Amino acid sequence: MTAHAVGQLLLGLAAIMLLARLLGAIARKLGQPAVIGEILAGVLIGPSLFGTTVSDLLFPMDIRSALAGLANVGLVLFMFIVGYEVDLAAVRGRRRAAVSVSIGSVVLPLGMGILLALWLAGHHGVTDVAPFALFIGAAMSVTAFPVLARILTDRDMLRTEVGGLALASGAVDDILAWTLLAGVVAFGAGGGDVPWQILLAVPYALVMFLVVRPLLRRLLTARDRAGRLTPDILGIMLAGLLLSCWATEAIGVHAIFGAFVFGAVMPRAGGEQLRHETLERLEQVSVLLLLPVFFVIAGLRVDLSTVGASGLTDLALILAVAITGKFAGAYLGARLNRIAPRRAGALATLMNTRGLTEIVILTVGLQLGILDESLFSLMVVMALVTTAMAGPLLAVIYPKSAVERDAAELQRAALGGAGAYRVLALVPAGAAAAPLVSLATDIAARRDPAEVVLSRVLPYTQARVEVGTGLSGDLLAMTSSMAELADLAAPVRQRGPAAPVLARFSADPAAEILTQVGTAEPDVLVVDAGQAGYQALLDAAGPTLVTVVTEPPQSWSAVLVRAGGGSGGSGGFSGSGGSDGEAALRVGAELAAAHGVELIADTGGKPSRRIAAVIEELGARTAPMPDPASALVITAGDTGTAHLRVQGRREPTAKRRITSTTTPTPAGAPQR
């Protein structure tokens, strides 16, 4: 390239990157996936609006081959990411429903697409009808798994059964659709004849899954030894990726399938950290530069200015087949598994998203000469419309109220029997977790049946990678939290109570906590003071709260309850109808019994008749004495200095008690 061409290339790359970022941000503001704006960036530069004036100015013909090469590299990296993020572990427990939805969303649009292709072939001068018809059918069958996952995250649907089933169905759909497309592309590349090289696909697949996959697990050991993703590890991954792409090109299948397969054989179990770090690295180049180049190269081929009446008819038929086939197929597959109509409709809507994945497929068809440029343009419009309509349609079919209701239903299903004495522990991260779980277990230990529910509400990560689904950081945090909660639950079960674990992501952790408490209806709630939403728990009508104001001693010689400082006046009665003093005494009795120590009550004077009766019932010794050095000290209401502080039940909505334990952050310590 000449110096002038190099300068033109750099100028063009800068324009591509800035325009893609700008339109992607505008799309997000409008509630659409960023990929919609990024694809439109390429279309806007193309001939549809300005002819060739803008494109020739920014991208002269002598640099377009360089841009095409960069676009292919970006395409390969994207397909590697798609394959890496398809994890069939999501299908576990949902196999029948996921397979049914996926088969329906592939087979019906495939058949309708083939019939449509027979019509389109006569309008676009197609001579090899068979590969053309199969390609159109396969293109109608694709779901954009990354876009689907983004929509689920943005709408907080990952905590619902619909969200989990959609991820599982999308994973199966990807496997089916890309396998189908690989055969169709090989058929099309051979001009309607199957090339002999395609027979090498079988040994290629066997080598990748039986030889390369076990070897790649060594990368996990290398990453753990280094403590991070090193340039050497990433270099080995990229070299393997490029060799896989070369192999599929050599056997007559497009390089994107080699990239997808290499991503699919990357290690999953125990490799969450490696996956997240890999996607973070690739995002720097792939999302910011190479994928936008691909959008522009594709956009330069889109020309809607020449679409006449016949083109509009073709577009109407393409949209009708694409929307109806995918929606009806997924909906019928869901209904066959007795999924409720509303949820089936939400699944069908999600499976109808096509996004960048469809653009990738259409570009391959254009490169192979299966599609002409006018039909390519119409199919790109279809991809944009079906992706853009998903959000607004979901808002109607599956509104936020339905999401909240289904999330609560799934959470109730994860809990034990309704008759069990339930302690809900909102477990913080770090050193405060184990003592909090121990307190929760002490409160439940003498009850039968009893359960201690260990829950953690996680905010979505602030810096989320944009490449692929963007879920890698969240999945890493979820995996880590579930493993920690499982370790904390083991000693709870050894003491008798059941110990289900819950981990949830939320864009609003404070609201999620209130919802979780209302759904679980615990007898006791144990939380940390640094927990998001703690103030809302203090203010809300409902069960009793207990706050840990200083760290309890490791061993207790006694439990001292100051029951005379209630928020409702003398005797510890709360003005809202509950009793701080009584709640404090009963929590203290459970903790004293769990540790086999004496319960001491300090009423600060003459107790009310009710408090006196509770003291007598519990067998507590009354003594206005100073804090024993090794005693656990509990105070009623929001007065006094103690280890635990109890706030009584609030009326009128609460019918059960909540106990909350919280630990203040020491002065100078970082806020959690």
Side-chain angles (χ1 to χ4, degrees), residues 297-310:
I297 293 297
L300 292 176
R301 303 285 186 90
V302 175
D303 187 1
L304 301 176
S305 62
T306 60
V307 175
S310 62

PDB file of all heavy atoms in Angstrom, residues 297-310:
ATOM      1  N   ILE A 297     -18.411  -2.948   5.914  1.00  0.00           N
ATOM      2  CA  ILE A 297     -18.253  -3.718   4.681  1.00  0.00           C
ATOM      3  C   ILE A 297     -19.597  -4.306   4.262  1.00  0.00           C
ATOM      4  O   ILE A 297     -19.965  -4.295   3.073  1.00  0.00           O
ATOM      5  CB  ILE A 297     -17.205  -4.830   4.867  1.00  0.00           C
ATOM      6  CG1 ILE A 297     -15.821  -4.211   5.078  1.00  0.00           C
ATOM      7  CG2 ILE A 297     -17.196  -5.768   3.679  1.00  0.00           C
ATOM      8  CD1 ILE A 297     -15.319  -3.408   3.909  1.00  0.00           C
ATOM      9  N   ALA A 298     -20.370  -4.825   5.253  1.00  0.00           N
ATOM     10  CA  ALA A 298     -21.701  -5.351   4.946  1.00  0.00           C
ATOM     11  C   ALA A 298     -22.628  -4.220   4.510  1.00  0.00           C
ATOM     12  O   ALA A 298     -23.413  -4.370   3.567  1.00  0.00           O
ATOM     13  CB  ALA A 298     -22.274  -6.076   6.155  1.00  0.00           C
ATOM     14  N   GLY A 299     -22.538  -3.064   5.202  1.00  0.00           N
ATOM     15  CA  GLY A 299     -23.413  -1.941   4.882  1.00  0.00           C
ATOM     16  C   GLY A 299     -23.175  -1.372   3.505  1.00  0.00           C
ATOM     17  O   GLY A 299     -24.104  -0.892   2.842  1.00  0.00           O
ATOM     18  N   LEU A 300     -21.929  -1.419   3.061  1.00  0.00           N
ATOM     19  CA  LEU A 300     -21.624  -0.916   1.724  1.00  0.00           C
ATOM     20  C   LEU A 300     -22.313  -1.737   0.632  1.00  0.00           C
ATOM     21  O   LEU A 300     -22.496  -1.262  -0.492  1.00  0.00           O
ATOM     22  CB  LEU A 300     -20.111  -0.927   1.490  1.00  0.00           C
ATOM     23  CG  LEU A 300     -19.292   0.061   2.336  1.00  0.00           C
ATOM     24  CD1 LEU A 300     -17.807  -0.121   2.076  1.00  0.00           C
ATOM     25  CD2 LEU A 300     -19.713   1.492   2.064  1.00  0.00           C
ATOM     26  N   ARG A 301     -22.700  -2.977   1.002  1.00  0.00           N
ATOM     27  CA  ARG A 301     -23.392  -3.839   0.045  1.00  0.00           C
ATOM     28  C   ARG A 301     -24.906  -3.647   0.082  1.00  0.00           C
ATOM     29  O   ARG A 301     -25.605  -4.193  -0.773  1.00  0.00           O
ATOM     30  CB  ARG A 301     -23.067  -5.299   0.361  1.00  0.00           C
ATOM     31  CG  ARG A 301     -21.584  -5.650   0.357  1.00  0.00           C
ATOM     32  CD  ARG A 301     -21.043  -5.746  -1.052  1.00  0.00           C
ATOM     33  NE  ARG A 301     -19.674  -6.221  -1.080  1.00  0.00           N
ATOM     34  CZ  ARG A 301     -19.319  -7.505  -1.160  1.00  0.00           C
ATOM     35  NH1 ARG A 301     -20.238  -8.442  -1.216  1.00  0.00           N
ATOM     36  NH2 ARG A 301     -18.042  -7.840  -1.192  1.00  0.00           N
ATOM     37  N   VAL A 302     -25.414  -2.952   1.093  1.00  0.00           N
ATOM     38  CA  VAL A 302     -26.861  -2.762   1.236  1.00  0.00           C
ATOM     39  C   VAL A 302     -27.273  -1.521   0.461  1.00  0.00           C
ATOM     40  O   VAL A 302     -26.833  -0.413   0.759  1.00  0.00           O
ATOM     41  CB  VAL A 302     -27.258  -2.619   2.722  1.00  0.00           C
ATOM     42  CG1 VAL A 302     -28.749  -2.303   2.845  1.00  0.00           C
ATOM     43  CG2 VAL A 302     -26.926  -3.890   3.486  1.00  0.00           C
ATOM     44  N   ASP A 303     -28.135  -1.705  -0.514  1.00  0.00           N
ATOM     45  CA  ASP A 303     -28.629  -0.585  -1.320  1.00  0.00           C
ATOM     46  C   ASP A 303     -30.147  -0.705  -1.427  1.00  0.00           C
ATOM     47  O   ASP A 303     -30.670  -1.511  -2.204  1.00  0.00           O
ATOM     48  CB  ASP A 303     -27.986  -0.598  -2.705  1.00  0.00           C
ATOM     49  CG  ASP A 303     -28.348   0.642  -3.522  1.00  0.00           C
ATOM     50  OD1 ASP A 303     -29.083   1.502  -2.990  1.00  0.00           O
ATOM     51  OD2 ASP A 303     -27.889   0.741  -4.674  1.00  0.00           O
ATOM     52  N   LEU A 304     -30.843   0.093  -0.627  1.00  0.00           N
ATOM     53  CA  LEU A 304     -32.306   0.062  -0.635  1.00  0.00           C
ATOM     54  C   LEU A 304     -32.895   1.105  -1.574  1.00  0.00           C
ATOM     55  O   LEU A 304     -34.117   1.176  -1.723  1.00  0.00           O
ATOM     56  CB  LEU A 304     -32.828   0.298   0.788  1.00  0.00           C
ATOM     57  CG  LEU A 304     -32.372  -0.716   1.844  1.00  0.00           C
ATOM     58  CD1 LEU A 304     -32.880  -0.316   3.215  1.00  0.00           C
ATOM     59  CD2 LEU A 304     -32.846  -2.117   1.480  1.00  0.00           C
ATOM     60  N   SER A 305     -32.033   1.904  -2.187  1.00  0.00           N
ATOM     61  CA  SER A 305     -32.539   2.978  -3.044  1.00  0.00           C
ATOM     62  C   SER A 305     -33.150   2.449  -4.336  1.00  0.00           C
ATOM     63  O   SER A 305     -33.938   3.138  -4.988  1.00  0.00           O
ATOM     64  CB  SER A 305     -31.406   3.958  -3.376  1.00  0.00           C
ATOM     65  OG  SER A 305     -30.371   3.299  -4.104  1.00  0.00           O
ATOM     66  N   THR A 306     -32.803   1.246  -4.726  1.00  0.00           N
ATOM     67  CA  THR A 306     -33.300   0.688  -5.986  1.00  0.00           C
ATOM     68  C   THR A 306     -34.457  -0.284  -5.788  1.00  0.00           C
ATOM     69  O   THR A 306     -34.889  -0.932  -6.740  1.00  0.00           O
ATOM     70  CB  THR A 306     -32.157  -0.030  -6.717  1.00  0.00           C
ATOM     71  OG1 THR A 306     -31.650  -1.088  -5.883  1.00  0.00           O
ATOM     72  CG2 THR A 306     -31.027   0.936  -7.047  1.00  0.00           C
ATOM     73  N   VAL A 307     -34.927  -0.408  -4.542  1.00  0.00           N
ATOM     74  CA  VAL A 307     -36.017  -1.352  -4.268  1.00  0.00           C
ATOM     75  C   VAL A 307     -37.318  -0.796  -4.851  1.00  0.00           C
ATOM     76  O   VAL A 307     -37.796   0.262  -4.459  1.00  0.00           O
ATOM     77  CB  VAL A 307     -36.176  -1.585  -2.751  1.00  0.00           C
ATOM     78  CG1 VAL A 307     -37.396  -2.467  -2.484  1.00  0.00           C
ATOM     79  CG2 VAL A 307     -34.921  -2.224  -2.192  1.00  0.00           C
ATOM     80  N   GLY A 308     -37.887  -1.531  -5.785  1.00  0.00           N
ATOM     81  CA  GLY A 308     -39.144  -1.116  -6.389  1.00  0.00           C
ATOM     82  C   GLY A 308     -40.318  -1.872  -5.808  1.00  0.00           C
ATOM     83  O   GLY A 308     -40.245  -2.439  -4.718  1.00  0.00           O
ATOM     84  N   ALA A 309     -41.424  -1.888  -6.568  1.00  0.00           N
ATOM     85  CA  ALA A 309     -42.636  -2.560  -6.090  1.00  0.00           C
ATOM     86  C   ALA A 309     -42.401  -4.052  -5.879  1.00  0.00           C
ATOM     87  O   ALA A 309     -42.846  -4.635  -4.878  1.00  0.00           O
ATOM     88  CB  ALA A 309     -43.777  -2.333  -7.082  1.00  0.00           C
ATOM     89  N   SER A 310     -41.700  -4.681  -6.822  1.00  0.00           N
ATOM     90  CA  SER A 310     -41.433  -6.116  -6.669  1.00  0.00           C
ATOM     91  C   SER A 310     -40.530  -6.378  -5.467  1.00  0.00           C
ATOM     92  O   SER A 310     -40.692  -7.377  -4.755  1.00  0.00           O
ATOM     93  CB  SER A 310     -40.791  -6.674  -7.941  1.00  0.00           C
ATOM     94  OG  SER A 310     -39.539  -6.045  -8.186  1.00  0.00           O
TER      95      SER A 310
END
